[in-house]
Amino acid sequence: MEKRTLGTSEIKITPIIMGTWQAGKNMWAGIEDSEVIKGIRAAFDAGITTIDTAEVYGNGYSERIVAQALGDVREQVVLATKVFVNHLKYDQVIEACDRSLKNLNTDYIDLYQIHWPSGAFNSEIVPIEQTMNALNKLKEQGKIRAIGISNFSSEQMAEASQYGQIDSLQPPYSLFWRKIEKAEMPYCVENNISIIAYSSLAQGLLTGKFGPDHKFAEGDHRAKNRLFYIKENYERVQTALEKLRPIAEAKQCTMAQLAIAWLIAQPQTNAIVGARNAEQATANAKAADVKLSQDELAEIDGIGRIVTDPLDDRPVMWDF
């Protein structure tokens, strides 16, 4: 898989990134450790050498699962993790990083990201300068190689950038959720910041596996996703999926592979994709082989807008 440069750093990432929120188990249903470990390893074997996790995913559990899966190939992978919004004071950032280093069983983190801007989830407001000072210190110490931010607006990105080099933004972005195209993507393009899209399959909607009458298992956070539970949104999703199916068939790929291929063809954009098992991880990697012409990209773009044009301006998909 052809690698890309992360922002202005010397780090090379794969355009498809293994996501491991599910490895933390919290807010997911039916997750098995052994299957997730096999999935992470299968992703690596298929050429996905960039792995994304966070301290909040199962309170460090996801990070420990990643360490189990990839400990013997640490030097061949790029590890990205995140500090949560309740740990943004200077000393808290340092302590959180040390915990993540221990969980990941490594002496350096390739990409360390602020998971949410200060104040999210009613958290205490911490000046971004204080958080960035801590991240810069960690970088100087060699504990982290690059700094990223997640769920930041373009204004928040600009403010953070006053205090240090930002190499990536991790926003929700998919064919069915395109809020960042308005302001954040232009900012990233102008400032050479890599976009690392999460929920790149709109939490599974773009696989085409969820029919009109789907019901989620108890504890599955997707039941609170506005694309799923709001009837009009879900009906538009089904209409768009029906139009995407013939394109996937013509390209001899799955619906998920088509959606990932479209996403990584967008400016500066790389796609985080989770997997519950080895089969899903291997299939995700194959999306890198799907080549789309400008006409095909434009056609898929238009189909996606059936879903996205009527949406309001909320930046995230969930009503938590």
Side-chain angles (χ1 to χ4, degrees):
M1 194 178 298
E2 192 172 334
K3 293 181 181 177
R4 301 171 172 182
T5 300
L6 177 73
T8 58
S9 75
E10 295 179 354
I11 299 168
K12 299 292 184 182
I13 61 171
T14 45
I16 300 172
I17 296 163
M18 178 68 181
T20 61
W21 182 7
Q22 73 287 1
K25 293 189 176 180
N26 186 30
M27 301 180 79
W28 291 81
I31 300 294
E32 296 291 338
D33 288 353
S34 60
E35 290 301 305
V36 172
I37 289 169
K38 286 177 189 172
I40 295 169
R41 194 62 188 218
F44 171 78
D45 291 340
I48 298 174
T49 57
T50 308
I51 317 296
D52 182 78
T53 184
E55 66 165 345
V56 78
Y57 298 163
N59 194 27
Y61 196 76
S62 171
E63 291 176 325
R64 293 192 288 275
I65 290 289
V66 169
Q68 283 185 56
L70 298 171
D72 63 322
V73 291
R74 170 64 187 100
E75 298 304 316
Q76 298 175 55
V77 297
V78 169
L79 295 181
T81 192
K82 311 178 200 76
V83 56
F84 199 55
V85 71
N86 58 341
H87 296 147
L88 297 184
K89 292 181 179 177
Y90 187 94
D91 290 344
Q92 292 173 329
V93 174
I94 304 296
E95 290 164 6
C97 182
D98 286 340
R99 280 194 303 272
S100 288
L101 287 166
K102 186 178 179 181
N103 286 335
L104 288 164
N105 193 26
T106 184
D107 55 7
Y108 68 97
I109 291 163
D110 297 285
L111 175 62
Y112 199 43
Q113 305 156 98
I114 305 172
H115 203 154
W116 289 87
S118 175
F121 304 108
N122 299 311
S123 60
E124 183 181 352
I125 300 293
V126 178
I128 188 65
E129 182 179 8
Q130 183 179 154
T131 306
M132 287 297 295
N133 285 345
L135 293 170
N136 288 329
K137 182 66 174 177
L138 289 167
K139 201 172 176 182
E140 286 169 23
Q141 293 173 332
K143 290 184 177 180
I144 67 175
R145 296 177 66 200
I147 298 166
I149 50 182
S150 181
N151 299 297
F152 274 48
S153 68
S154 55
E155 293 82 9
Q156 290 166 329
M157 278 196 283
E159 185 183 5
S161 295
Q162 292 175 26
Y163 304 107
Q165 178 62 47
I166 302 295
D167 281 314
S168 66
L169 169 69
Q170 186 173 144
Y173 183 33
S174 73
L175 184 61
F176 285 173
W177 197 270
R178 302 168 65 168
K179 306 297 182 184
I180 70 156
E181 291 179 349
K182 194 172 182 180
E184 288 72 39
M185 179 179 277
Y187 183 91
C188 288
V189 170
E190 184 180 341
N191 293 281
N192 198 13
I193 294 171
S194 293
I195 296 168
I196 300 176
Y198 74 81
S199 293
S200 54
L201 292 175
Q203 295 211 287
L205 275 179
L206 280 157
T207 65
K209 293 176 183 174
F210 298 112
D213 303 315
H214 185 79
K215 296 286 185 290
F216 284 105
E218 185 71 29
D220 195 315
H221 68 283
R222 288 177 292 190
K224 296 179 180 178
N225 185 317
R226 297 175 63 77
L227 294 179
F228 282 100
Y229 84 82
I230 295 177
K231 185 171 180 284
E232 294 80 6
N233 289 348
Y234 198 61
E235 286 173 352
R236 284 190 282 266
V237 162
Q238 297 300 322
T239 299
L241 290 172
E242 285 307 308
K243 292 179 181 295
L244 290 171
R245 277 196 177 89
I247 303 174
E249 287 167 7
K251 301 299 290 186
Q252 296 183 308
C253 67
T254 66
M255 299 273 280
Q257 288 162 351
L258 185 74
I260 297 167
W262 177 86
L263 192 60
I264 63 176
Q266 303 311 303
Q268 300 286 107
T269 303
N270 311 277
I272 297 174
V273 194
R276 290 171 178 262
N277 52 48
E279 184 184 8
Q280 288 181 357
T282 304
N284 291 340
K286 289 178 180 172
D289 298 327
V290 178
K291 305 303 179 192
L292 299 170
S293 68
Q294 288 304 311
D295 286 347
E296 288 166 335
L297 288 167
E299 184 182 3
I300 294 166
D301 181 290
I303 293 168
R305 293 186 186 283
I306 294 170
V307 176
T308 58
D309 280 356
L311 296 173
D312 60 28
D313 287 332
R314 294 172 201 236
V316 296
M317 288 170 277
W318 305 275
D319 287 334
F320 286 153

